[in-house]
Amino acid sequence: MNDTLIFTIATGGYHWRYRKNIESQRAYAAKHGYVYSVVDWPKFTLLDLEIVWLKIYLLHEALKKEYRWVVFVDADAEIKPRCPPVSHVYQPGKSIYAAKGYSNRVNSGVLIFHNDNNSRAFVAKVLANRTQPIPTEDSVGWGENGHVIHFAKQNPHVLVLDKRWNNNHNPDLHDYIRHYSAGPLRSTYIASVWDSLRFTLCRYAQAISRRVCARVFRAKPAGELLQNLCSAVVKRDKAFAP
């Protein structure tokens, strides 16, 4: 099997919103012969912001496989043609690779793992502490990024990458990966009118559906929904299958 997996998550219409970025990721993977997966299913879920935790669940599954490298890239991140192979980041003794964002803290929009006991332990620890509070200085207010920040600190197996590997703040940087996350670069990403319309309609439909379902059905805990979704993805996506 190929020794490198790159995947992104683009559920809930984000595969339309960030179509150009996803195409750039696919092209990069094809150029280097990597396995590439776009997790764009299901189109609808009762999960709202908690869906971002799916990346940690899927990283946990992917690192069980025989990949040498496992890479997560947010759907709102564009991989430039000049981006070097993933293996170029490797340094002995380091297993977890990430760059700092504009807040000068580790940004989880691009996570690179050399598959070994240390990287598996890191992801398992982040996942095991999903519901646990973290210090205010590490929190970003929602999602998994704060937990990644917290557990990456003082971890001897973490290497902070050059910002070119996850640039979410400098439009003039000769970067490898440009990340249009919430921040200085978000407004510079322009989707097509048609893709923007489909994305907006999808988001409205999901918001209405969640409200209706919340009144009709008993809500399951987010952790249960995430685990069920992760299991479903593993069953239908050969990139994650045992």
Side-chain angles (χ1 to χ4, degrees):
M1 63 177 291
N2 194 293
D3 72 351
T4 301
L5 167 67
I6 298 179
F7 75 97
T8 193
I9 297 174
T11 60
Y14 281 95
H15 63 297
W16 290 318
R17 177 75 172 92
Y18 293 112
R19 182 194 301 273
K20 292 186 293 184
N21 290 347
I22 291 171
E23 290 175 354
S24 77
Q25 297 173 17
R26 194 188 309 278
Y28 172 75
K31 176 181 178 181
H32 295 285
Y34 302 152
V35 175
Y36 180 64
S37 177
V38 180
V39 180
D40 58 3
W41 178 92
K43 307 302 182 189
F44 168 75
T45 172
L46 291 176
L47 290 163
D48 193 8
L49 295 178
E50 302 95 340
I51 192 68
V52 297
W53 274 94
L54 182 60
K55 75 171 73 168
I56 305 298
Y57 281 79
L58 289 176
L59 282 167
H60 188 253
E61 293 299 321
L63 288 168
K64 295 177 183 178
K65 297 197 67 177
E66 296 179 2
Y67 295 115
R68 184 181 180 193
W69 294 94
V70 175
V71 182
F72 174 81
V73 182
D74 270 349
D76 58 0
E78 173 192 6
I79 302 183
K80 302 294 185 68
R82 59 176 166 265
C83 185
V86 170
S87 59
H88 279 209
V89 304
Y90 179 73
Q91 288 192 23
K94 303 297 181 181
S95 308
I96 305 116
Y97 302 83
K100 292 183 177 180
Y102 69 90
S103 69
N104 203 37
R105 299 179 296 175
V106 167
N107 181 278
S108 63
V110 178
L111 296 171
I112 302 175
F113 296 93
H114 186 252
N115 193 357
D116 60 19
N117 290 335
N118 298 316
S119 59
R120 290 190 290 271
F122 173 80
V123 172
K125 191 170 187 177
V126 171
L127 186 56
N129 286 274
R130 184 184 67 83
T131 60
Q132 299 303 310
I134 55 175
T136 302
E137 64 185 36
D138 299 330
S139 176
V140 298
W142 65 284
E144 88 304 334
N145 201 159
H147 286 70
V148 173
I149 291 170
H150 179 66
F151 291 107
K153 292 165 66 173
Q154 309 304 318
N155 186 315
H157 306 292
V158 172
L159 178 69
V160 176
L161 295 170
D162 184 290
K163 291 182 183 293
R164 288 176 295 177
W165 284 94
N166 186 359
N167 172 30
N168 70 351
H169 69 288
N170 184 356
D172 299 319
L173 185 64
H174 195 64
D175 48 21
Y176 302 146
I177 302 178
R178 180 156 299 198
H179 190 185
Y180 302 94
S181 59
L185 295 184
R186 172 60 62 86
S187 63
T188 66
Y189 179 84
I190 301 176
S192 71
V193 173
W194 178 230
D195 283 341
S196 296
L197 177 60
R198 287 194 288 186
F199 171 72
T200 301
L201 291 175
C202 182
R203 298 302 287 173
Y204 274 120
Q206 286 192 93
I208 293 171
S209 298
R210 284 195 192 97
R211 290 188 178 184
V212 171
C213 288
R215 293 183 178 184
V216 176
F217 302 106
R218 181 180 178 183
K220 294 182 178 180
E224 183 178 347
L225 292 172
L226 283 164
Q227 185 58 64
N228 291 344
L229 180 52
C230 176
S231 298
V233 171
V234 169
K235 287 181 180 178
R236 58 183 286 139
D237 191 330
K238 63 181 181 181
F240 298 96

